[in-house]
Amino acid sequence: MFTSVVSACRRRSSALSCAVGAAVLIAGCAPAVAGAPSLLRIGAIFPLTGGTAADAGDEYLGALIAVQMVNAGGGVQGRQISLDVRSVDSVDQIAPAVASLRRDGVPVVIGAYSSQLSIPAAAMVARAGMVYWETGAVADQVTGQGSPLVFRVGANGADLGGNSGRFVLQQLVPRLGASAGSSSAFLVTADDAYAHSVAAGARAALSAGGMPVAGEAVYNPFTPNWGAVIDQIRTAHPDVLLLSSHVPDGVAFRRAFLAAGLHVKAFIGTTMAQCTDFGAALGADAVGVFASDRPDYGFNDRALSGGARTLFQRFSATWSKDRGGLPTEEAISGFSAAWALFANALPHALGMNAQAIAGAARAVDLPNGSLPNGAGLLFSTQLDELGQNVRAAADIWQWQAPQQYVVVWPATYATGSVEMGSSAASSAETPQGAPSAGW
């Protein structure tokens, strides 16, 4: 079953900006004096203006729907949740935002969508004696700082990259009629913490499965030298290419790759960047590309338990009614992470202070399929990933027609199957009898 970009594509309109602005005002309006028993203030840090505002706004609005649903059910221990929101668009704005939230007396802060913001935010929030609860950012460093006050519900870079590597080994190599040891992979990686953490996860999984990594081209995502990257790929002549990018540079690289007439047997995006925007920008030139991602609206809901499926349906109906269209990946991530905090951790805390909340979070043990994005919930106690959810959800999907994709792996999430065949691009370097270029 295809998921169409037309129906699932993220909104970029001024209507969403207005919705986010109104939601910030609503979330920040306290019905009672701060500290009153009926009110539980939760801090929130998101980049709600600037270039990432649309996606970050979706993540925030997903979290806000979780607040509304929990409040409608009686709140947390008889107290209504109120989000105390700070819009933070650059790293230098984080410290004053954290300081102001600490003065407001919030015990926990959710956020912050972007790894560039989330890594320092997590550290500063924890040092200020508050719990930091990540709702979307992926870089391993968010939960790699060894802080007992930092938690992340969603996938990290190791999850997304590792998923990519395991997918290559378990699903693609057998279809290519080769062994892992006789095949080779090549990594193309943006030079930042987010992309490097995902690429490292992919490399580790491939190496563990016995597949050689022929090389890695690291590029500046703001001023990429695609000619140098293309030359390295051409020299290595890999079977599989794994791209760790952001959306704009991912689109630009795909175009450069096709324009150069290069051929690989499989082309995989590892960093959630081969998303609906990628497909919308490239059209037919995206066909064949695989994407490692968090679950979007198009995943098979048989991955969910009965209660999680009902919750997902309630969330989707609320999103469609209030925002229009289907919930985006960022919205699902924000809602799932916030729900885990508000419905699964806070109700069991012995007090609304950071230590008690962290203790309650570490005691949660939910099987896969319990959260509305298909995840379970169990936080790691290992120092190098302390607070990372070891049951986070991730899947692989494939562009199989212009602006249409299918979830292909794992089987519980799948809505279709892998297709190995011709792509829209041609290649002067495609060997005789090999699949058409670009895959």
Side-chain angles (χ1 to χ4, degrees):
M1 181 180 71
F2 280 129
T3 296
S4 170
V5 173
V6 174
S7 62
C9 190
R10 300 175 177 88
R11 268 59 177 171
R12 290 290 184 270
S13 67
S14 58
L16 177 58
S17 299
C18 293
V20 171
V24 170
L25 291 175
I26 293 168
C29 291
V33 177
S38 62
L39 185 67
L40 174 59
R41 283 189 179 276
I42 303 295
I45 293 176
F46 289 94
L48 298 179
T49 62
T52 61
D55 287 344
D58 278 6
E59 188 171 298
Y60 165 70
L61 291 172
L64 184 60
I65 291 175
V67 170
Q68 295 167 346
M69 290 173 63
V70 169
N71 282 346
V76 175
Q77 299 185 16
R79 300 171 67 179
Q80 294 284 291
I81 301 169
S82 176
L83 291 185
D84 198 352
V85 188
R86 302 291 183 275
S87 181
V88 173
D89 306 315
S90 61
V91 172
D92 61 354
Q93 296 175 355
I94 294 173
V98 171
S100 69
L101 289 171
R102 185 182 184 188
R103 287 193 299 271
D104 281 356
V106 304
V108 55
V109 177
I110 67 171
Y113 170 74
S114 162
S115 293
Q116 181 182 8
L117 299 176
S118 293
I119 294 170
M124 292 182 195
V125 168
R127 282 200 300 269
M130 298 175 286
V131 168
Y132 181 80
W133 196 273
E134 180 57 54
T135 53
V138 169
D140 291 351
Q141 293 91 325
V142 174
T143 46
Q145 304 177 50
S147 172
L149 295 179
V150 175
F151 297 89
R152 172 167 44 200
V153 175
N156 64 3
D159 293 328
L160 294 174
N163 224 32
S164 302
R166 289 185 290 273
F167 174 70
V168 169
L169 295 166
Q170 296 175 25
Q171 300 296 315
L172 297 188
V173 168
R175 286 175 166 83
L176 297 175
S179 66
S182 64
S183 305
S184 67
F186 191 92
L187 310 181
V188 177
T189 308
D191 193 10
D192 59 26
Y194 171 44
H196 279 298
S197 65
V198 180
R203 180 187 289 273
L206 292 170
S207 297
M211 187 170 188
V213 176
E216 180 175 14
V218 177
Y219 67 89
N220 184 320
F222 302 103
T223 57
N225 181 351
W226 295 131
V229 173
I230 294 299
D231 286 345
Q232 292 180 64
I233 298 169
R234 183 177 283 112
T235 299
H237 199 68
D239 299 294
V240 178
L241 186 144
L242 294 97
L243 172 64
S244 299
S245 72
H246 304 274
V247 178
D249 45 299
V251 170
F253 171 72
R254 175 67 173 172
R255 286 172 171 157
F257 176 88
L258 294 175
L262 293 183
H263 169 78
V264 291
K265 296 175 182 176
F267 186 117
I268 304 171
T270 65
T271 47
M272 308 189 302
Q274 282 58 57
C275 58
T276 52
D277 292 343
F278 179 91
L282 288 169
D285 284 345
V287 174
V289 173
F290 295 96
S292 181
D293 212 330
R294 300 172 301 197
D296 201 342
Y297 188 85
F299 75 92
N300 194 323
D301 68 1
R302 72 167 178 257
L304 306 178
S305 68
R309 187 179 301 112
T310 299
L311 180 61
F312 183 73
Q313 292 168 350
R314 288 176 58 203
F315 162 66
S316 298
T318 301
W319 181 276
S320 297
K321 178 182 177 182
D322 293 350
R323 317 299 177 198
L326 302 175
T328 63
E329 171 204 313
E330 290 81 13
I332 295 169
S333 177
F335 177 78
S336 298
W339 186 266
L341 174 62
F342 302 145
N344 299 122
L346 290 182
H348 304 289
L350 298 180
M352 288 303 148
N353 59 76
Q355 295 300 330
I357 292 169
R362 283 191 287 270
V364 177
D365 186 350
L366 301 177
N368 290 332
S370 296
L371 293 179
N373 66 349
L377 194 61
L378 181 66
F379 291 112
S380 176
T381 57
Q382 297 182 24
L383 189 62
D384 63 347
E385 59 170 11
L386 191 62
Q388 172 62 37
N389 182 14
V390 299
R391 295 175 183 160
D395 58 16
I396 303 285
W397 40 279
Q398 184 186 24
W399 291 103
Q400 293 188 350
Q403 301 192 42
Q404 292 181 327
Y405 66 88
V406 170
V407 180
V408 295
W409 190 77
T412 53
Y413 289 88
T415 58
S417 57
V418 171
E419 288 188 359
M420 305 295 288
S422 62
S423 139
S426 61
S427 169
E429 296 195 7
T430 303
Q432 188 69 30
S436 182
W439 283 42

